mmCIF file of all heavy atoms in Angstrom:
data_model
loop_
_atom_site.group_PDB
_atom_site.id
_atom_site.type_symbol
_atom_site.label_atom_id
_atom_site.label_comp_id
_atom_site.label_asym_id
_atom_site.label_seq_id
_atom_site.Cartn_x
_atom_site.Cartn_y
_atom_site.Cartn_z
ATOM 1 N N PHE A 215 -2.763 1.570 6.083
ATOM 2 C CA PHE A 215 -2.104 2.098 7.277
ATOM 3 C C PHE A 215 -0.581 1.984 7.198
ATOM 4 O O PHE A 215 0.107 2.498 8.079
ATOM 5 C CB PHE A 215 -2.617 1.404 8.531
ATOM 6 C CG PHE A 215 -4.037 1.739 8.868
ATOM 7 C CD1 PHE A 215 -4.971 0.741 9.052
ATOM 8 C CD2 PHE A 215 -4.444 3.063 8.992
ATOM 9 C CE1 PHE A 215 -6.280 1.048 9.360
ATOM 10 C CE2 PHE A 215 -5.747 3.379 9.304
ATOM 11 C CZ PHE A 215 -6.673 2.373 9.491
ATOM 12 N N ALA A 216 -0.079 1.314 6.188
ATOM 13 C CA ALA A 216 1.370 1.254 6.012
ATOM 14 C C ALA A 216 1.946 2.644 5.771
ATOM 15 O O ALA A 216 3.109 2.903 6.054
ATOM 16 C CB ALA A 216 1.731 0.333 4.851
ATOM 17 N N SER A 217 1.123 3.549 5.303
ATOM 18 C CA SER A 217 1.601 4.906 5.008
ATOM 19 C C SER A 217 1.500 5.838 6.213
ATOM 20 O O SER A 217 1.764 7.034 6.075
ATOM 21 C CB SER A 217 0.805 5.491 3.840
ATOM 22 O OG SER A 217 -0.553 5.644 4.214
ATOM 23 N N ASP A 218 1.142 5.347 7.387
ATOM 24 C CA ASP A 218 1.004 6.211 8.563
ATOM 25 C C ASP A 218 2.304 6.883 8.964
ATOM 26 O O ASP A 218 2.293 8.017 9.443
ATOM 27 C CB ASP A 218 0.448 5.425 9.746
ATOM 28 C CG ASP A 218 -1.037 5.239 9.664
ATOM 29 O OD1 ASP A 218 -1.656 5.837 8.763
ATOM 30 O OD2 ASP A 218 -1.579 4.470 10.482
ATOM 31 N N SER A 219 3.414 6.211 8.820
ATOM 32 C CA SER A 219 4.689 6.796 9.236
ATOM 33 C C SER A 219 5.351 7.624 8.144
ATOM 34 O O SER A 219 6.459 8.117 8.337
ATOM 35 C CB SER A 219 5.641 5.690 9.694
ATOM 36 O OG SER A 219 5.949 4.854 8.587
ATOM 37 N N CYS A 220 4.691 7.806 7.037
ATOM 38 C CA CYS A 220 5.275 8.552 5.920
ATOM 39 C C CYS A 220 5.486 10.017 6.318
ATOM 40 O O CYS A 220 4.606 10.654 6.892
ATOM 41 C CB CYS A 220 4.367 8.494 4.695
ATOM 42 S SG CYS A 220 4.227 6.843 4.011
ATOM 43 N N GLY A 221 6.651 10.533 6.025
ATOM 44 C CA GLY A 221 6.970 11.924 6.302
ATOM 45 C C GLY A 221 7.655 12.106 7.634
ATOM 46 O O GLY A 221 8.605 12.865 7.746
ATOM 47 N N ALA A 222 7.211 11.439 8.676
ATOM 48 C CA ALA A 222 7.797 11.612 10.009
ATOM 49 C C ALA A 222 9.093 10.818 10.150
ATOM 50 O O ALA A 222 10.135 11.383 10.475
ATOM 51 C CB ALA A 222 6.804 11.179 11.071
ATOM 52 N N SER A 223 9.003 9.530 9.913
ATOM 53 C CA SER A 223 10.197 8.700 10.096
ATOM 54 C C SER A 223 10.477 7.796 8.908
ATOM 55 O O SER A 223 11.348 6.947 8.981
ATOM 56 C CB SER A 223 10.036 7.846 11.361
ATOM 57 O OG SER A 223 8.944 6.967 11.212
ATOM 58 N N SER A 224 9.747 7.971 7.841
ATOM 59 C CA SER A 224 9.902 7.091 6.682
ATOM 60 C C SER A 224 9.715 7.866 5.391
ATOM 61 O O SER A 224 9.051 8.898 5.359
ATOM 62 C CB SER A 224 8.875 5.967 6.717
ATOM 63 O OG SER A 224 8.959 5.220 7.896
ATOM 64 N N VAL A 225 10.314 7.321 4.360
ATOM 65 C CA VAL A 225 10.072 7.806 3.001
ATOM 66 C C VAL A 225 9.195 6.755 2.334
ATOM 67 O O VAL A 225 9.512 5.569 2.368
ATOM 68 C CB VAL A 225 11.397 7.985 2.228
ATOM 69 C CG1 VAL A 225 11.132 8.408 0.803
ATOM 70 C CG2 VAL A 225 12.307 8.957 2.946
ATOM 71 N N CYS A 226 8.084 7.215 1.753
ATOM 72 C CA CYS A 226 7.113 6.252 1.230
ATOM 73 C C CYS A 226 6.893 6.436 -0.262
ATOM 74 O O CYS A 226 6.941 7.540 -0.781
ATOM 75 C CB CYS A 226 5.774 6.421 1.942
ATOM 76 S SG CYS A 226 5.853 6.009 3.680
ATOM 77 N N ASP A 227 6.622 5.325 -0.902
ATOM 78 C CA ASP A 227 6.186 5.301 -2.288
ATOM 79 C C ASP A 227 4.706 4.920 -2.252
ATOM 80 O O ASP A 227 4.353 3.747 -2.139
ATOM 81 C CB ASP A 227 7.010 4.283 -3.071
ATOM 82 C CG ASP A 227 6.651 4.235 -4.540
ATOM 83 O OD1 ASP A 227 5.731 4.979 -4.963
ATOM 84 O OD2 ASP A 227 7.286 3.442 -5.271
ATOM 85 N N THR A 228 3.845 5.933 -2.302
ATOM 86 C CA THR A 228 2.407 5.673 -2.155
ATOM 87 C C THR A 228 1.842 4.855 -3.309
ATOM 88 O O THR A 228 0.869 4.121 -3.122
ATOM 89 C CB THR A 228 1.635 6.996 -2.023
ATOM 90 O OG1 THR A 228 1.943 7.829 -3.130
ATOM 91 C CG2 THR A 228 1.995 7.693 -0.717
ATOM 92 N N ASP A 229 2.448 4.963 -4.474
ATOM 93 C CA ASP A 229 1.989 4.137 -5.597
ATOM 94 C C ASP A 229 2.243 2.657 -5.336
ATOM 95 O O ASP A 229 1.413 1.807 -5.664
ATOM 96 C CB ASP A 229 2.670 4.558 -6.895
ATOM 97 C CG ASP A 229 2.198 5.901 -7.405
ATOM 98 O OD1 ASP A 229 1.067 6.302 -7.044
ATOM 99 O OD2 ASP A 229 2.955 6.557 -8.151
ATOM 100 N N LEU A 230 3.393 2.357 -4.738
ATOM 101 C CA LEU A 230 3.713 0.962 -4.424
ATOM 102 C C LEU A 230 2.800 0.435 -3.313
ATOM 103 O O LEU A 230 2.347 -0.724 -3.372
ATOM 104 C CB LEU A 230 5.180 0.832 -4.012
ATOM 105 C CG LEU A 230 5.770 -0.568 -3.992
ATOM 106 C CD1 LEU A 230 5.627 -1.238 -5.349
ATOM 107 C CD2 LEU A 230 7.227 -0.512 -3.580
ATOM 108 N N ILE A 231 2.485 1.280 -2.345
ATOM 109 C CA ILE A 231 1.560 0.874 -1.290
ATOM 110 C C ILE A 231 0.176 0.609 -1.880
ATOM 111 O O ILE A 231 -0.482 -0.386 -1.549
ATOM 112 C CB ILE A 231 1.495 1.949 -0.184
ATOM 113 C CG1 ILE A 231 2.845 2.046 0.535
ATOM 114 C CG2 ILE A 231 0.388 1.628 0.817
ATOM 115 C CD1 ILE A 231 2.945 3.210 1.505
ATOM 116 N N ALA A 232 -0.268 1.481 -2.774
ATOM 117 C CA ALA A 232 -1.580 1.300 -3.414
ATOM 118 C C ALA A 232 -1.597 0.049 -4.291
ATOM 119 O O ALA A 232 -2.601 -0.675 -4.334
ATOM 120 C CB ALA A 232 -1.930 2.532 -4.240
ATOM 121 N N THR A 233 -0.494 -0.223 -4.969
ATOM 122 C CA THR A 233 -0.413 -1.432 -5.787
ATOM 123 C C THR A 233 -0.502 -2.677 -4.911
ATOM 124 O O THR A 233 -1.216 -3.636 -5.251
ATOM 125 C CB THR A 233 0.889 -1.443 -6.605
ATOM 126 O OG1 THR A 233 0.923 -0.293 -7.433
ATOM 127 C CG2 THR A 233 0.998 -2.695 -7.445
ATOM 128 N N GLY A 234 0.209 -2.670 -3.800
ATOM 129 C CA GLY A 234 0.147 -3.801 -2.874
ATOM 130 C C GLY A 234 -1.251 -3.999 -2.317
ATOM 131 O O GLY A 234 -1.721 -5.126 -2.175
ATOM 132 N N MET A 235 -1.914 -2.885 -2.015
ATOM 133 C CA MET A 235 -3.288 -2.967 -1.532
ATOM 134 C C MET A 235 -4.203 -3.574 -2.587
ATOM 135 O O MET A 235 -5.051 -4.428 -2.295
ATOM 136 C CB MET A 235 -3.768 -1.561 -1.181
ATOM 137 C CG MET A 235 -4.417 -1.430 0.144
ATOM 138 S SD MET A 235 -4.892 0.264 0.410
ATOM 139 C CE MET A 235 -6.623 0.123 0.153
ATOM 140 N N LEU A 236 -4.031 -3.131 -3.818
ATOM 141 C CA LEU A 236 -4.864 -3.638 -4.910
ATOM 142 C C LEU A 236 -4.607 -5.122 -5.163
ATOM 143 O O LEU A 236 -5.541 -5.895 -5.399
ATOM 144 C CB LEU A 236 -4.610 -2.819 -6.175
ATOM 145 C CG LEU A 236 -5.515 -3.088 -7.361
ATOM 146 C CD1 LEU A 236 -6.955 -2.731 -6.997
ATOM 147 C CD2 LEU A 236 -5.070 -2.298 -8.565
ATOM 148 N N VAL A 237 -3.342 -5.525 -5.098
ATOM 149 C CA VAL A 237 -3.011 -6.944 -5.280
ATOM 150 C C VAL A 237 -3.627 -7.774 -4.161
ATOM 151 O O VAL A 237 -4.229 -8.828 -4.405
ATOM 152 C CB VAL A 237 -1.476 -7.137 -5.346
ATOM 153 C CG1 VAL A 237 -1.094 -8.603 -5.205
ATOM 154 C CG2 VAL A 237 -0.923 -6.582 -6.642
ATOM 155 N N ALA A 238 -3.507 -7.295 -2.917
ATOM 156 C CA ALA A 238 -4.055 -8.030 -1.774
ATOM 157 C C ALA A 238 -5.579 -8.049 -1.791
ATOM 158 O O ALA A 238 -6.202 -8.914 -1.181
ATOM 159 C CB ALA A 238 -3.558 -7.416 -0.468
ATOM 160 N N MET A 239 -6.183 -7.094 -2.489
ATOM 161 C CA MET A 239 -7.636 -7.010 -2.547
ATOM 162 C C MET A 239 -8.218 -7.911 -3.639
ATOM 163 O O MET A 239 -9.231 -8.577 -3.440
ATOM 164 C CB MET A 239 -8.035 -5.556 -2.824
ATOM 165 C CG MET A 239 -9.474 -5.234 -2.648
ATOM 166 S SD MET A 239 -9.795 -3.495 -3.007
ATOM 167 C CE MET A 239 -8.822 -2.683 -1.764
ATOM 168 N N THR A 240 -7.574 -7.946 -4.786
ATOM 169 C CA THR A 240 -8.166 -8.622 -5.940
ATOM 170 C C THR A 240 -7.631 -10.033 -6.187
ATOM 171 O O THR A 240 -8.395 -10.907 -6.605
ATOM 172 C CB THR A 240 -7.944 -7.794 -7.214
ATOM 173 O OG1 THR A 240 -6.548 -7.595 -7.416
ATOM 174 C CG2 THR A 240 -8.649 -6.455 -7.113
ATOM 175 N N LEU A 241 -6.359 -10.253 -5.965
ATOM 176 C CA LEU A 241 -5.772 -11.552 -6.308
ATOM 177 C C LEU A 241 -6.354 -12.708 -5.493
ATOM 178 O O LEU A 241 -6.664 -13.763 -6.073
ATOM 179 C CB LEU A 241 -4.246 -11.487 -6.184
ATOM 180 C CG LEU A 241 -3.455 -12.575 -6.882
ATOM 181 C CD1 LEU A 241 -3.786 -12.632 -8.365
ATOM 182 C CD2 LEU A 241 -1.966 -12.349 -6.688
ATOM 183 N N PRO A 242 -6.551 -12.575 -4.170
ATOM 184 C CA PRO A 242 -7.173 -13.699 -3.450
ATOM 185 C C PRO A 242 -8.597 -14.000 -3.924
ATOM 186 O O PRO A 242 -8.983 -15.175 -4.002
ATOM 187 C CB PRO A 242 -7.186 -13.232 -1.990
ATOM 188 C CG PRO A 242 -6.088 -12.252 -1.902
ATOM 189 C CD PRO A 242 -6.057 -11.552 -3.230
ATOM 190 N N ILE A 243 -9.355 -12.968 -4.273
ATOM 191 C CA ILE A 243 -10.710 -13.204 -4.765
ATOM 192 C C ILE A 243 -10.654 -13.927 -6.119
ATOM 193 O O ILE A 243 -11.423 -14.863 -6.367
ATOM 194 C CB ILE A 243 -11.483 -11.875 -4.890
ATOM 195 C CG1 ILE A 243 -11.594 -11.182 -3.532
ATOM 196 C CG2 ILE A 243 -12.853 -12.086 -5.514
ATOM 197 C CD1 ILE A 243 -12.350 -11.945 -2.489
ATOM 198 N N GLY A 244 -9.743 -13.515 -6.983
ATOM 199 C CA GLY A 244 -9.591 -14.181 -8.278
ATOM 200 C C GLY A 244 -9.191 -15.635 -8.135
ATOM 201 O O GLY A 244 -9.727 -16.514 -8.824
#
């Protein structure tokens, strides 16, 4: 949901958002 404001009021790097999501998903489990 960090990408919800993309285009309207923000410039987003979707790859960085996806990387952060992946880190938050896998690193705590590891």
Side-chain angles (χ1 to χ4, degrees):
F215 291 126
S217 65
D218 281 353
S219 65
C220 294
S223 63
S224 303
V225 177
C226 294
D227 182 359
T228 55
D229 289 336
L230 195 57
I231 294 172
T233 301
M235 229 179 105
L236 188 63
V237 167
M239 192 180 297
T240 58
L241 198 56
I243 300 298

